[in-house]
């Protein structure tokens, strides 16, 4: 998968300042001052419309991100942006309202941006209360909606009167998890009924914090809620003849965007991958149904004795399930940055 870069430019003009829940304390700008603008880039974004959609290589007219920001003058901080929506109201040019202008009596500006949600209701961030670094908490439930949750931040120091757009480099907050099922049987066909996940953390609040020009993304989510149901995954009902796989080669993976989490933190919730398939022996009139589960913390990183005990933000995990009739089920997992596969783990036999 390529690492093409997405770039956006935003430019704005002045308007009135009215916000709910965010106290604004701003001076009237000099009319010939330059408007605050934004640019943003990210590695490939996940297509939100479907779990099997191809990664996007550009933003579409319905994309948006939300900006929070402060300015500092003589040691005092003032809220400037409180979750403003940056989108394309005319379908082509990025814009936001009400617009802000640079205040060069200030020493610096701090900005934090969140991309992914349709609105800012799931984002908890009040720049007016930020005594130190800007931070935000973002709620997410992968069983309710799947979207590529990302964050970025930057600091603009005003030693020079630069008016170039504020640049955001977005990073992923979530883990991408895919499953590929192979029928390694030499002759027999199988039908893959489903694979699901059980005992996962499916509710929580991700924490991000500005560190100068860098975003700090916590791998530990606040207020985690676990789900004992079998969720996400896929139920293809696909017939796999000997030597074939689901999804077939060249077909996009089914990808679930998961909350990063450590496995086995709570002995009551041991995360599992549950696989259900069936086959029919020659001469039999009914199928034999097999259901088996894999404890996610029982897979090792290739070439080491280190277990994969967690899903980390910005990392993709591709679980490869090999079924061989009479030989059991073998599971491998490939661990990679979001856009490329770098490592593979040895298999375990159930």
């Amino acid at each position: 998968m390529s690492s093409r870069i997405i770039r956006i430019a935003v430019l704005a003009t002045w308007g009135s300042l009215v916000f709910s829940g965010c106290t604004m304390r701003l001076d009237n700008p000099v009319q010939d001052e330059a408007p605050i603008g934004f640019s943003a880039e990210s590695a490939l974004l996940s297509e939100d419309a479907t779990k099997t959609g191809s990664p996007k290589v550009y933003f579409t007219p319905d994309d948006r991100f939300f900006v929070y920001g402060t300015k500092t003058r003589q040691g005092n901080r003032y809220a400037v942006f409180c979750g403003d929506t940056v989108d394309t109201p005319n379908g082509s040019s990025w814009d936001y309202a009400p617009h802000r202008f640079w205040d060069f009596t200030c020493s610096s500006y701090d900005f934090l941006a969140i991309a992914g949600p349709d609105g800012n209701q799931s984002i908890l961030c009040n720049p007016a209360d930020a005594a130190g670094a800007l931070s935000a908490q973002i709620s997410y439930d992968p069983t309710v909606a799947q979207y590529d949750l990302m964050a970025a931040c930057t600091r603009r120091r005003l030693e020079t009167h630069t008016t170039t757009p504020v640049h955001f480099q977005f990073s992923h907050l979530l883990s991408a998890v895919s499953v590929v099922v192979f029928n390694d049987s030499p002759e027999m066909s199988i039908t893959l009924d489903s694979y699901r996940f059980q005992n996962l953390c499916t509710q929580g609040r991700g924490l991000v914090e500005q560190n100068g020009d860098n975003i700090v993304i916590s791998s530990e989510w606040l207020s985690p809620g676990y789900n004992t149901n079998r969720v996400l995954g896929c139920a293809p009902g696909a017939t796999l003849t000997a030597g074939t796989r689901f999804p077939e080669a060249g077909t996009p993976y089914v990808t679930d965007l998961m909350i990063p989490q450590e496995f086995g933190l709570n002995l009551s919730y041991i995360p599992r991958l549950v696989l259900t398939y069936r086959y029919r022996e020659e001469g039999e009139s009914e199928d034999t149904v097999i259901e088996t589960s894999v404890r996610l913390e029982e897979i090792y990183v290739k070439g080491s004795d280190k277990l994969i005990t967690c899903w980390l933000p910005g990392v993709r995990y591709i679980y490869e399930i090999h079924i061989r009739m009479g030989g059991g089920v073998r599971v491998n997992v490939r661990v990679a940055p979001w856009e490329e596969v770098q490592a593979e783990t040895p298999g375990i036999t159930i």
Side-chain angles (χ1 to χ4, degrees):
M1 190 178 293
S2 63
S3 294
R4 295 178 59 183
I5 297 299
I6 306 161
R7 291 181 172 84
I8 321 169
V10 182
L11 193 61
T13 57
W14 178 255
S16 61
L17 296 172
V18 179
F19 284 93
S20 173
C22 183
T23 303
M24 310 300 289
R25 184 181 173 188
L26 298 175
D27 298 330
N28 291 325
V30 178
Q31 290 305 306
D32 60 358
E33 287 181 348
I36 297 175
F38 299 105
S39 68
E41 69 180 36
S42 167
L44 294 174
L45 300 176
S46 173
E47 175 59 64
D48 300 336
T50 170
K51 295 203 298 183
T52 57
S54 300
K56 291 190 285 190
V57 295
Y58 54 84
F59 283 89
T60 58
D62 59 346
D63 285 314
R64 61 184 61 83
F65 57 90
F66 306 96
V67 177
Y68 301 83
T70 63
K71 64 181 182 179
T72 301
R73 184 196 301 119
Q74 297 179 345
N76 296 317
R77 299 187 75 176
Y78 304 83
V80 181
F81 293 91
C82 289
D84 295 69
T85 301
V86 179
D87 57 11
T88 55
N90 61 7
S92 59
S93 300
W94 290 87
D95 203 354
Y96 67 91
H99 299 149
R100 274 11 74 84
F101 280 68
W102 290 109
D103 180 355
F104 291 109
T105 67
C106 295
S107 59
S108 63
Y109 279 76
D110 291 284
F111 300 94
L112 177 65
I114 307 295
D118 288 334
N120 61 14
Q121 297 86 355
S122 63
I123 304 170
L124 179 61
C125 178
N126 190 349
D129 293 338
L134 284 175
S135 64
Q137 297 178 24
I138 308 101
S139 299
Y140 179 73
D141 185 335
T143 66
V144 173
Q146 288 270 309
Y147 51 84
D148 195 352
L149 183 59
M150 299 191 298
C153 71
T154 190
R155 173 170 292 167
R156 172 65 60 86
R157 297 168 180 83
L158 300 184
E159 291 88 352
T160 60
H161 285 197
T162 177
T163 59
T164 57
V166 175
H167 181 69
F168 288 127
Q169 174 67 53
F170 280 98
S171 298
H172 300 285
L173 273 66
L174 302 175
S175 306
V177 180
S178 303
V179 174
V180 185
V181 180
F182 297 82
N183 181 7
D184 290 344
S185 304
E187 296 180 354
M188 185 174 291
S189 296
I190 65 171
T191 298
L192 174 62
D193 289 327
S194 68
Y195 60 85
R196 301 292 190 190
F197 295 90
Q198 190 173 25
N199 297 330
L200 289 185
C201 173
T202 58
Q203 292 182 336
R205 301 196 308 273
L207 177 63
V208 296
E209 186 175 72
Q210 177 198 16
N211 181 15
D213 291 328
N214 300 312
I215 192 72
V216 178
I217 298 173
S218 175
S219 59
E220 296 183 7
W221 280 47
L222 305 175
S223 303
Y226 291 84
N227 198 326
T228 58
N229 296 321
R230 297 177 183 180
V231 297
L232 302 171
C234 186
T239 298
L240 308 182
T241 57
T244 61
R245 52 171 271 192
F246 172 85
E248 63 185 39
T251 302
Y253 292 130
V254 177
T255 301
D256 287 301
L257 300 179
M258 303 287 204
I259 291 176
Q261 55 196 279
E262 185 172 351
F263 308 141
L265 283 179
N266 189 323
L267 294 179
S268 299
Y269 303 102
I270 299 175
R272 297 176 182 272
L273 173 58
V274 182
L275 176 74
T276 304
Y277 64 97
R278 51 193 164 92
Y279 64 93
R280 182 173 297 184
E281 297 274 9
E282 185 176 355
E284 296 292 331
S285 59
E286 295 183 355
D287 290 342
T288 299
V289 178
I290 302 294
E291 180 177 287
T292 188
S293 67
V294 186
R295 290 175 57 147
L296 296 183
E297 80 278 13
E298 292 183 345
I299 302 175
Y300 290 85
V301 175
K302 183 178 180 179
S304 77
D305 58 358
K306 181 180 178 181
L307 290 167
I308 299 175
T309 58
C310 62
W311 289 334
L312 297 174
V315 179
R316 184 170 190 174
Y317 301 86
I318 303 174
Y319 289 83
E320 296 185 346
I321 302 176
H322 292 263
I323 301 173
R324 183 181 179 89
M325 302 311 300
V329 175
R330 180 170 55 88
V331 181
N332 298 323
V333 63
R334 289 181 284 159
V335 182
W338 203 274
E339 284 80 33
E340 61 179 328
V341 174
Q342 288 191 339
E344 185 176 287
T345 69
I348 61 172
T349 299
I350 305 170

